[in-house]
């Protein structure tokens, strides 16, 4: 493996002694530019290093069937999932306005790129770092495209197998990409402490020496994220909200300003404490200085999980809803040998063959007629060498 090290994000260096802290605004702005600006300003005031949004081009991220799925629950902003997402999605022109506003406040502005077009748009406005979220951590086309560009990458690894995490690193290496980091993450909202598997931070640090390792948390409370820093996480990402009671699925697992500010303060305290090979009881003793008994118990549960990277049962709901499947990029008649421009990874309805199997189908001969955005199926092909 190549020798990796800390990488710079604008005027800051992630991977050194000072933890890089991201306030994940996501779509907690409710589709309101004024609220988004208020959240940026508040994030700066409480000491976050970076604010992060989520950038999607809906036609590139979702199939039409997924966009037309009925979505009329209490957290919906539209009758269908497409209407809901359209209401919440900012244009790239609005992103430029928010980027300028953040620049005036001297806080780093970026977003997750949730499809190739969004990746390219974020590159064009020169954000200093780009996030690849867990839902795209197995999207080999997006990963490969991002790896070829000089912008630093932060890659979450929720709902992915150990094999896929190794493959992420291999994709980066094969493109001579060394300015990236991996975040341990569990894609369950909120994540129960028993599912956090916090020792994965140590596992990643040992498995990928020299790569900057961080933690993207979806648990409630702040103690587990502080413990992640004691274990050596160099980047902490937490969802941020102005009010947990607002409409939307992410608010209840997000931190309000006072909570986020306290977390940052405790993280700065934790940075001054040695983190080399800390035992669980040492970590719990430190956390007990700052947290009540319930949060200490939560950290104990988070530390107790076996450090084995796998897709957890609690992540399956998110994987089925927002994980990427392989679909046809265009309608095809039977006969051609599949090439890379014929398939694409999208959120489909229903979930199909997972995106990490992209390369498995290249070079296979299609034996049925298929429609654009139809899910790939195993029985659509015979291997090219079986002609």
């Amino acid at each position: 493996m190549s020798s990796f090290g800390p990488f710079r994000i604008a005027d800051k260096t992630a991977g050194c002694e000072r933890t890089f802290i991201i306030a994940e605004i996501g779509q907690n702005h409710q589709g309101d530019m004024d609220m988004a600006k208020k959240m940026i300003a508040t994030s700066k005031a409480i000491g976050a290093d970076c604010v992060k949004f989520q950038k999607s081009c809906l036609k590139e991220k979702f199939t039409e069937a997924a966009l037309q799925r009925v979505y009329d629950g209490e957290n919906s902003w539209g009758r269908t999932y497409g209407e809901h997402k359209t209401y919440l999605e900012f244009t790239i022109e609005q992103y430029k306005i928010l980027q300028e506003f953040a620049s005036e406040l001297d806080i780093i502005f970026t977003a997750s790129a949730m499809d190739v077009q969004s990746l390219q748009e974020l590159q064009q406005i020169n954000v200093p770092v780009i996030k690849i979220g867990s839902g795209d951590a197995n999207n080999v086309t997006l990963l490969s495209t991002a790896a070829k560009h000089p912008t630093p990458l932060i890659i979450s690894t929720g709902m992915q197998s150990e094999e896929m995490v190794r493959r992420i690193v291999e994709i980066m290496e094969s493109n001579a990409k060394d300015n990236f980091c991996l975040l341990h993450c569990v894609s369950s909202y909120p994540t129960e402490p028993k599912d956090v598997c916090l020792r994965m931070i140590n596992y990643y640090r040992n498995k990928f020496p020299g790569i900057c390792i961080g933690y993207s948390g979806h648990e409630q409370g702040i103690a587990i994220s502080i413990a992640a820093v004691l274990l050596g996480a160099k980047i902490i990402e937490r969802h941020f909200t102005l009010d947990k009671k607002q409409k939307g699925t992410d608010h209840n697992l997000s931190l309000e300003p006072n909570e986020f500010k306290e977390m940052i303060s405790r993280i700065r305290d934790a940075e001054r404490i040695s983190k080399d090979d800390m035992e669980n009881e040492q970590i719990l003793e430190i956390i007990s200085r700052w947290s009540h008994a319930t949060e200490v118990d939560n950290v104990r549960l988070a530390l107790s999980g076996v450090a084995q990277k796998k897709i957890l049962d609690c992540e399956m709901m998110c994987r089925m809803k927002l994980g990427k499947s392989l679909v046809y990029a265009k309608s095809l008649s039977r006969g051609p040998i599949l090439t890379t421009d014929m398939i694409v990874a999208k959120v489909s309805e229903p979930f199909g063959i997972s995106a990490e199997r992209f390369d498995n189908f290249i070079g296979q001969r299609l034996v049925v007629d298929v429609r654009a955005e139809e899910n790939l199926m195993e029985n659509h092909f015979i291997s090219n060498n079986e002609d």
Side-chain angles (χ1 to χ4, degrees):
M1 178 176 290
S2 302
S3 176
F4 295 100
F7 63 95
R8 292 193 63 79
I9 302 173
D11 62 344
K12 301 182 187 296
T13 302
C16 291
E17 293 307 311
R18 189 177 187 277
T19 311
F20 186 80
I21 298 174
I22 302 170
E24 161 70 282
I25 292 173
Q27 295 190 321
N28 280 352
H29 50 68
Q30 316 290 72
D32 185 319
M33 284 287 285
D34 289 336
M35 184 179 292
K37 288 182 178 180
K38 184 176 181 180
M39 295 183 80
I40 292 171
T42 306
S43 298
K44 172 64 178 180
I46 62 179
D49 295 300
C50 176
V51 288
K52 189 183 77 65
F53 291 74
Q54 296 174 1
K55 182 73 182 75
S56 298
C57 297
L58 299 185
K59 297 291 186 181
E60 298 297 319
K61 179 179 177 180
F62 300 94
T63 65
E64 188 62 29
L67 291 173
Q68 291 302 319
R69 177 168 57 86
V70 174
Y71 193 72
D72 55 3
E74 62 180 0
N75 290 311
S76 174
W77 296 96
R79 181 184 58 84
T80 65
Y81 198 66
E83 290 176 1
H84 166 77
K85 295 297 287 185
T86 298
Y87 182 91
L88 293 172
E89 190 66 45
F90 289 145
T91 66
I92 195 63
E93 288 73 24
Q94 289 173 308
Y95 267 74
K96 290 177 184 177
I97 293 169
L98 295 175
Q99 182 184 37
E100 183 176 353
F101 180 77
S103 178
E104 291 170 357
L105 295 177
D106 191 29
I107 186 169
I108 294 170
F109 173 91
T110 191
S112 296
M114 296 188 164
D115 52 80
V116 172
Q117 182 176 332
S118 295
L119 172 73
Q120 293 169 342
E121 289 179 348
L122 291 171
Q123 290 168 344
Q124 288 165 7
I125 66 172
N126 295 316
V127 294
V129 62
I130 291 175
K131 174 77 183 295
I132 305 295
S134 294
D136 281 295
N138 65 348
N139 185 345
V140 295
T141 302
L142 181 64
L143 288 167
S144 298
T145 304
K148 291 177 172 63
H149 196 273
T151 305
L153 300 175
I154 297 173
I155 306 169
S156 276
T157 59
M159 57 185 176
Q160 305 302 332
S161 65
E162 180 169 344
E163 179 184 3
M164 190 63 229
V165 177
R166 288 199 306 269
R167 193 171 175 195
I168 291 168
V169 175
E170 289 167 0
I171 290 170
M172 298 299 123
E173 283 191 308
S174 66
N175 286 280
K177 182 78 170 177
D178 60 2
N179 54 346
F180 75 99
C181 78
L182 299 175
L183 303 188
H184 169 49
C185 177
V186 177
S187 298
S188 176
Y189 305 85
T191 306
E192 294 296 324
K194 65 181 178 60
D195 294 321
V196 169
C197 302
L198 205 54
R199 282 288 177 186
M200 282 303 304
I201 293 168
N202 302 88
Y203 183 79
Y204 280 0
R205 291 178 69 197
N206 293 328
K207 190 78 173 178
F208 308 112
I211 296 179
C212 178
I213 303 299
Y215 175 65
S216 177
H218 299 126
E219 74 279 1
Q220 294 175 322
I222 66 174
I224 289 174
S225 293
I226 298 166
V229 175
L230 291 169
L231 287 171
K234 299 300 185 181
I235 293 177
I236 294 293
E237 176 185 77
R238 289 297 304 271
H239 285 248
F240 176 60
T241 182
L242 298 177
D243 184 353
K244 291 177 186 286
K245 296 179 182 177
Q246 285 180 308
K247 177 178 174 178
T249 55
D250 284 348
H251 291 284
N252 73 327
L253 59 90
S254 301
L255 300 178
E256 292 179 343
N258 287 341
E259 292 177 289
F260 213 112
K261 184 177 181 179
E262 182 182 359
M263 182 188 73
I264 293 173
S265 175
R266 295 309 181 194
I267 284 173
R268 300 300 175 222
D269 291 337
E271 289 166 346
R272 294 190 285 270
I273 301 171
S274 173
K275 297 178 288 293
D276 289 339
D277 301 319
M278 289 189 104
E279 299 294 335
N280 288 2
E281 291 307 314
Q282 291 176 287
I283 293 170
L284 291 167
E285 190 278 326
I286 293 167
I287 294 296
S288 69
R289 303 174 194 173
W290 307 320
S291 306
H292 54 71
T294 300
E295 284 227 288
V296 175
D297 287 342
N298 287 342
V299 173
R300 189 185 305 276
L301 288 169
L303 288 167
S304 66
V306 177
Q308 179 183 3
K309 181 55 181 167
K310 60 181 181 179
I311 302 169
L312 302 175
D313 290 343
C314 66
E315 297 180 300
M316 290 307 297
M317 181 181 295
C318 184
R319 185 173 167 90
M320 293 298 103
K321 178 182 177 183
L322 294 176
K324 297 290 178 68
S325 302
L326 297 178
V327 301
Y328 294 99
K330 52 191 173 184
S331 296
L332 297 166
S333 299
R334 62 182 297 176
I337 295 172
L338 219 62
T339 55
T340 57
D341 62 330
M342 293 179 181
I343 57 176
V344 66
K346 290 189 177 185
V347 176
S348 68
E349 181 69 25
F351 184 81
I353 292 172
S354 191
E356 67 261 25
R357 295 189 60 199
F358 184 94
D359 292 340
N360 297 139
F361 293 93
I362 304 305
Q364 293 199 41
R365 187 177 296 280
L366 189 64
V367 296
V368 295
D369 298 339
V370 295
R371 303 181 310 278
E373 295 195 336
E374 180 180 348
N375 282 2
L376 271 71
M377 302 287 286
E378 302 281 359
N379 61 5
H380 288 180
F381 306 95
I382 58 170
S383 175
N384 188 35
N385 60 17
E386 294 178 9
D387 291 350

